[in-house]
């Protein structure tokens, strides 16, 4: 196991660390994260629209369409917000104007959706003009938003590096000068996208979805695909790299597509235990990463009963953060990094709890996950809220804690005994010296 961890540290970790720092992936991560506050707000309205008690649900049923409007304006338009945030971040990484990069990315993304004149569909005199369909402005349009952002900002960078911009005199205010600098790059990207989307009638959104839908099905509805992120994240953490930062940069756009699809299906009347995707990110957050990566809340509880004085102290100062899914004190205090004894359950426990949770959702035993509630909630509460107020999801969390504890226990005993013997040996040496 030690040789395996050394291989991870020397061969596997360096390219993964470089991947996490790649400019485009960082921009995607920053842009998506910038939308989380809106997604959280929208998720709460979806929770309100689906109360856990039947009589409550029947009482608010006539008002459900109005209650979920904030959800549709937040999660239903998340790709709009993300396209600006991603463009801003990528432009800043190139030392370009962030606002210009964000605006060009947003405009490029919106050009991919053709507005529709709905006047002919409405009674005379009630026309509302041109309407922008929302179908591809939420999670379904995230991949298009990413491509639009890359094309827009890289075009801006191309024109900037070759000085192909309108330069204004120094006396002109900066905001005005930036607007004119963006004129030529903006005309270029808008014209190119217009030719592709309107003249050639090529629907990039549908084309991208046709490519990524099978990938989403594998990551979201296939046990092997669901396990792959778990294995990579725990392997990276075991080697000292923030696994979620690396894997999340790649997988989070797809997880958001899944979450949006689940939320839209529930808002449209689907049964909460028959949603399109099993494993958006919230599936992992609440049923697998209980206490943090590695399902470490169970280990933290065991540490409270350790014979090693040091491990017991680590357990005491880590238990409160672990209840709120913060386990860095545990990971670097035990430590779990480069620990050949505890690395095995650190990887194995999440694999087992992922498998159990996968089948619990697949067979409709618990509801699917639709809401992005704050990740610092205690896991049973977070699971209850995220799974449409399903008490069975909270029970599953408690079961997974017990299972993870059973997996950690024999390895914990070995490590505890090892450290206790070292402590006793150190005390014996001190007495001998005295």
């Amino acid at each position: 196991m030690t040789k395996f961890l050394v291989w991870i540290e020397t061969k596997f970790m360096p390219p993964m660390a470089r991947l996490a720092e790649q400019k485009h992936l960082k921009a995607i991560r920053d842009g998506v994260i910038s939308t989380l506050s809106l997604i959280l707000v929208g998720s709460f309205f979806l929770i309100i629209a689906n109360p856990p008690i039947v009589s409550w649900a029947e009482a608010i049923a006539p008002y459900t369409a109005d209650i979920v409007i904030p959800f549709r304006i937040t999660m239903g338009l998340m790709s709009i917000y993300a396209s600006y945030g991603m463009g801003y971040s990528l432009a800043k990484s190139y030392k370009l104007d962030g606002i210009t990069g964000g605006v060009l990315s947003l405009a490029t993304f919106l050009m991919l959706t053709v507005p529709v004149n709905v006047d002919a569909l409405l009674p005379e005199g009630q026309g509302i003009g041109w309407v922008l369909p929302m179908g591809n402005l939420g999670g379904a349009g995230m991949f298009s938003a990413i491509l639009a952002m890359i094309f827009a900002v890289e075009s801006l960078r191309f024109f900037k590096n070759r000085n192909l911009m309108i330069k204004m005199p120094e006396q002109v205010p900066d905001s005005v000068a930036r607007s004119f600098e963006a004129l030529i790059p903006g005309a270029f990207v808008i014209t190119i996208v217009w030719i592709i989307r309107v003249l050639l009638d090529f629907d990039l959104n549908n084309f991208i979805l046709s490519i990524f839908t099978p990938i989403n099905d594998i990551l979201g509805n296939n046990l092997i695909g669901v396990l792959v992120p778990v294995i990579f994240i725990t392997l990276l953490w075991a080697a000292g790299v923030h696994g979620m930062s690396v894997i999340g940069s790649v997988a989070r756009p797809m997880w958001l597509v899944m979450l949006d699809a689940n939320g839209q299906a529930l808002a449209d009347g689907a049964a909460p235990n028959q949603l399109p995707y099993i494993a958006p990110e919230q599936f992992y957050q609440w049923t697998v990463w209980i206490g943090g990566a590695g399902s470490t809340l169970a280990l933290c509880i065991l540490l409270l009963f350790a014979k090693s004085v040091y491990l017991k102290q680590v357990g005491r100062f880590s238990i409160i953060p672990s209840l709120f899914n913060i386990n860095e004190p545990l990971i670097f205090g035990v430590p779990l990094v480069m620990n050949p004894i505890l690395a095995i359950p650190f990887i194995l426990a999440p694999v087992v709890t992922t498998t159990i949770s996968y089948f619990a959702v697949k067979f409709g035993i618990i509801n699917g996950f639709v809401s992005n509630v704050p990740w610092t909630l205690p896991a049973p509460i977070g699971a209850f809220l995220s799974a449409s107020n399903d008490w069975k999801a909270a029970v599953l969390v408690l079961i997974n804690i017990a299972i993870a504890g059973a997996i950690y226990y024999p390895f914990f005993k070995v490590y505890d005994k090892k450290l206790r013997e070292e402590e006793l040996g150190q005390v014996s040496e001190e007495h001998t010296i005295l």
Side-chain angles (χ1 to χ4, degrees):
M1 188 67 187
T2 302
K3 290 183 178 179
F4 179 61
L5 289 176
V6 170
W7 177 84
I8 292 176
E9 184 180 24
T10 57
K11 302 296 183 181
F12 182 71
M13 187 172 70
M16 290 294 102
R18 288 194 296 272
L19 181 65
E21 295 303 313
Q22 203 276 333
K23 289 182 184 292
H24 298 91
L25 288 179
K26 285 186 68 176
I28 293 169
R29 181 186 66 206
D30 294 344
V32 169
I33 289 174
S34 72
T35 69
L36 289 184
S37 59
L38 296 176
I39 293 174
L40 286 169
V41 172
S43 295
F44 280 120
F45 281 90
L46 192 61
I47 292 170
I48 294 170
N50 295 274
I53 300 174
V54 175
S55 59
W56 294 3
E58 292 174 349
I60 68 170
Y63 313 103
T64 299
D66 292 332
I67 294 173
V68 298
I69 286 176
F71 166 79
R72 298 192 187 281
I73 297 300
T74 52
M75 281 198 67
L77 299 176
M78 76 166 77
S79 291
I80 288 182
Y81 311 123
S83 64
Y84 179 87
M86 292 185 294
Y88 182 95
S89 177
L90 184 59
K92 294 292 284 186
S93 73
Y94 286 135
K95 302 191 183 320
L96 301 172
D97 180 61
I99 295 176
T100 301
V103 169
L104 283 181
S105 297
L106 175 56
T108 304
F109 171 62
L110 290 177
M111 276 296 300
L112 296 174
T113 301
V114 177
V116 178
N117 191 337
V118 297
D119 286 359
L121 305 176
L122 298 172
E124 188 175 351
Q126 297 184 18
I128 57 175
W130 294 86
V131 173
L132 204 61
M134 292 178 60
N136 290 319
L137 302 182
M142 186 60 68
F143 300 114
S144 300
I146 291 170
L147 288 181
M149 172 271 297
I150 294 173
F151 176 58
V153 176
E154 291 296 343
S155 296
L156 177 65
R157 179 187 176 209
F158 175 86
F159 282 92
K160 179 76 172 179
N161 289 345
R162 286 155 183 78
N163 213 20
L164 300 174
M165 290 181 162
I166 298 175
K167 295 291 184 181
M168 301 300 289
E170 293 183 0
Q171 299 87 343
V172 175
D174 288 344
S175 58
V176 177
R178 286 198 302 266
S179 298
F180 278 92
E181 285 181 354
L183 186 58
I184 295 176
F188 172 77
V189 296
I190 294 297
T191 302
I192 293 297
V193 177
W194 172 70
I195 291 172
I196 294 172
R197 183 63 187 92
V198 179
L199 296 188
L200 299 180
D201 195 25
F202 180 71
D203 192 335
L204 186 63
N205 284 311
N206 288 339
F207 175 74
I208 293 174
L209 281 177
S210 69
I211 295 174
F212 280 96
T213 296
I215 299 175
N216 282 349
D217 286 337
I218 293 171
L219 283 178
N221 292 326
N222 178 278
L223 180 59
I224 301 301
V226 172
L227 286 172
V228 166
V230 172
I231 294 170
F232 276 102
I233 288 169
T234 50
L235 279 174
L236 286 168
W237 264 120
V241 176
H242 196 306
M244 184 57 75
S245 178
V246 178
I247 305 303
S249 297
V250 178
R252 186 162 285 119
M254 289 175 275
W255 286 335
L256 278 173
V257 170
M258 299 176 203
L259 183 67
D260 178 61
N262 282 358
Q264 295 291 349
L266 184 65
D268 292 339
N273 63 345
Q274 296 178 7
L275 300 177
Y277 291 104
I278 294 172
E281 185 173 5
Q282 288 63 36
F283 166 88
Y284 299 100
Q285 176 63 58
W286 302 119
T287 68
V288 181
W289 308 134
I290 304 169
S295 303
T296 51
L297 178 58
L299 174 62
C300 194
I301 294 171
L302 291 174
L303 293 183
L304 297 176
F305 303 96
K307 293 181 179 179
S308 164
V309 176
Y310 174 73
L311 286 182
K312 183 171 287 189
Q313 288 177 340
V314 172
R316 286 172 177 171
F317 69 66
S318 299
I319 187 64
I320 299 300
S322 290
L323 290 173
F324 299 97
N325 306 307
I326 300 169
N327 68 344
E328 280 81 359
L330 200 66
I331 284 179
F332 298 106
V334 170
L336 291 166
V337 174
M338 299 302 293
N339 186 323
I341 297 174
L342 292 178
I344 297 173
F346 185 78
I347 298 168
L348 181 60
V351 168
V352 173
T353 55
T354 298
T355 304
I356 293 169
S357 303
Y358 171 87
F359 286 112
V361 178
K362 181 178 178 65
F363 294 129
I365 298 172
I366 69 169
N367 291 343
F369 292 87
V370 297
S371 301
N372 187 10
V373 296
W375 62 271
T376 49
L377 287 173
I381 298 173
F384 171 80
L385 293 174
S386 188
S388 304
N389 302 315
D390 185 6
W391 63 269
K392 297 188 295 297
V395 172
L396 175 63
V397 171
L398 299 177
I399 293 172
N400 282 349
I401 292 173
I403 291 171
I407 293 171
Y408 269 108
Y409 182 75
F411 300 92
F412 154 73
K413 292 296 289 183
V414 171
Y415 190 60
D416 182 36
K417 181 180 178 182
K418 176 176 178 290
L419 263 62
R420 183 58 180 161
E421 289 175 352
E422 291 176 0
E423 291 170 353
L424 292 174
Q426 186 176 1
V427 171
S428 177
E429 288 178 6
E430 290 176 354
H431 281 296
T432 301
I433 293 172
L434 291 173

